[in-house]
Amino acid sequence: MATPLLKVENLRVELTTRDGVVPVIDDLSFELGAGESISFVGESGCGKSMTALGIMGLLPEGIGRIASGTITFDGEELTTASEKRLRDIRGNEISMIFQEPMTSLNPVYTVGEQIAEVLRAHQGLGHKAAWERAGELLDAVRIPNAKGRVGDYPFQMSGGQRQRVMIAMALACEPKILIADEPTTALDVTVQAQIFDLLRDLRTQTGTSIILITHDMGAVAEMAERMIVMYAGRMAEIGPVDQIIEHAHHPYTKGLISCVPHIVSTLTDERQDLTEVPGIVPSLKDFGKNQCLFASRCKYLTQQCTKGRPPSIKFENGQLADCWQAEGV
């Protein structure tokens, strides 16, 4: 088996809150292969973005820290890397597309200058060469009249175009891993489809591995080969996307799938009523407790579920679910 490009083992990320120190990521392990696309899915507050920030070394200073575990990128341990080394990796070998481009882009600089800055910092290009390359990148992400738009400011572009600029910045140095954190937030469905088409095409052309962070199971089915379902800072389920959609083994995963119109019927020719997952994600102060954190929302709840943290149940098809009732879901 090929050595994974990224390997995360037993990762625990803690935040200092008013209620004390809490684990926002609790014993998370996964691997990402070269050229592979995986997705983290779950409701807001379940730890998806915090996982990405941990990988990037961008946890809130003085508040967040990696308490234990390892993050190995291309054979190099990142949890013990210096800040200088992390700066060299960020934007160069691992890039990230953030949720809202209007707040991520600097409003007082042109989009061309912001792309060129990445190229000058990581590739050592001169001003003219970086500017010309910025135009080429805008063209690569399918912005019309790209070379004429490099001098535009973010407010002069639509939401979809700003997101394309963010993708161009992230891909400027041809990274080995691209983390896309809710890349289609606030975009209409037509533009969402265009962004996903663009990411798929760029992945094919460059061989970049993609980590997609989303709460949208439809996006997962369209973009990823494997999915990791997160709940309350823990991995609830992991496995191939098509197999999980056809037969989820965790009640939370099953609930997320049932919230998406047509996703089940498209793959299995079965029609199901649209439902919702009852309740809400537990408070941060409950994260890390030695119990099933989904129990209060679960229709499969039994007395056995109250006996502590659920075990990880493995299945022959590559799925793994942390649930006492996984075999019966």
Side-chain angles (χ1 to χ4, degrees):
M1 183 177 178
T3 302
L5 180 61
L6 179 71
K7 186 174 184 178
V8 175
E9 291 186 287
N10 308 118
L11 182 66
R12 182 183 177 94
V13 175
E14 295 179 344
L15 288 184
T16 301
T17 72
R18 295 176 181 175
D19 296 311
V21 177
V22 295
V24 290
I25 302 297
D26 189 8
D27 196 26
L28 174 65
S29 298
F30 71 94
E31 295 181 356
L32 174 68
E36 185 184 16
S37 177
I38 65 172
S39 180
F40 281 83
V41 64
E43 294 166 287
S44 297
C46 283
K48 307 184 301 298
S49 295
M50 199 59 66
T51 300
L53 294 178
I55 293 171
M56 295 286 288
L58 291 174
L59 293 171
E61 187 174 358
I63 300 175
R65 72 184 186 100
I66 293 178
S68 60
T70 60
I71 302 173
T72 307
F73 166 66
D74 206 12
E76 181 177 0
E77 178 54 46
L78 299 186
T79 58
T80 55
S82 67
E83 180 57 33
K84 180 182 183 302
R85 178 56 184 147
L86 290 175
R87 285 197 302 268
D88 290 339
I89 292 174
R90 284 195 296 262
N92 189 29
E93 298 183 74
I94 305 178
S95 290
M96 187 168 176
I97 305 169
F98 294 92
Q99 288 191 31
E100 179 46 64
M102 195 57 188
T103 57
S104 299
L105 292 170
N106 193 319
V108 301
Y109 289 97
T110 65
V111 296
E113 176 58 28
Q114 294 182 65
I115 297 172
E117 181 183 9
V118 175
L119 293 164
R120 291 196 298 269
H122 293 293
Q123 301 291 305
L125 297 185
H127 180 81
K128 182 179 179 181
W131 186 262
E132 290 178 352
R133 179 60 180 151
E136 293 172 358
L137 286 165
L138 289 183
D139 184 62
V141 296
R142 303 172 190 168
I143 289 183
N145 186 29
K147 293 189 183 301
R149 302 298 302 275
V150 290
D152 284 1
Y153 290 88
F155 73 86
Q156 293 177 290
M157 293 185 154
S158 67
Q161 289 173 335
R162 288 193 293 268
Q163 193 60 283
R164 290 170 190 266
V165 171
M166 291 294 296
I167 295 173
M169 290 177 64
L171 293 173
C173 299
E174 299 183 359
K176 295 179 180 179
I177 297 176
L178 175 65
I179 301 175
D181 188 359
E182 300 280 6
T184 58
T185 298
L187 301 179
D188 64 58
V189 292
T190 302
V191 179
Q192 286 182 26
Q194 293 171 354
I195 295 297
F196 287 142
D197 286 341
L198 174 60
L199 288 174
R200 278 196 301 269
D201 290 347
L202 291 172
R203 175 188 164 208
T204 300
Q205 294 167 14
T206 65
T208 298
S209 300
I210 294 179
I211 298 176
L212 174 67
I213 296 173
T214 184
H215 63 273
D216 184 351
M217 290 296 292
V220 175
E222 187 174 349
M223 283 293 299
E225 299 161 13
R226 288 190 300 132
M227 77 165 77
I228 299 171
V229 181
M230 296 286 293
Y231 186 75
R234 297 174 180 172
M235 183 183 70
E237 188 163 4
I238 184 173
V241 170
D242 55 350
Q243 293 177 5
I244 288 182
I245 289 177
E246 290 178 6
H247 191 179
H249 286 285
H250 195 287
Y252 180 59
T253 310
K254 198 174 186 70
L256 291 176
I257 293 171
S258 68
C259 292
V260 183
H262 311 307
I263 188 171
V264 174
S265 59
T266 299
L267 293 177
T268 65
D269 295 325
E270 296 179 6
R271 296 186 63 84
Q272 294 189 358
D273 294 334
L274 187 64
T275 60
E276 65 178 359
V277 182
I280 60 174
V281 177
S283 168
L284 273 178
K285 65 183 180 181
D286 294 322
F287 280 34
K289 288 186 175 180
N290 186 33
Q291 63 187 61
C292 176
L293 298 178
F294 187 67
S296 63
R297 307 174 68 183
C298 184
K299 68 178 182 180
Y300 297 92
L301 180 66
T302 68
Q303 186 175 1
Q304 183 186 36
C305 300
T306 64
K307 295 181 178 179
R309 183 166 177 168
S312 294
I313 308 297
K314 295 182 179 180
F315 298 87
E316 292 182 358
N317 58 11
Q319 287 174 247
L320 186 151
D322 286 13
C323 177
W324 290 100
Q325 309 301 326
E327 294 179 334
V329 172

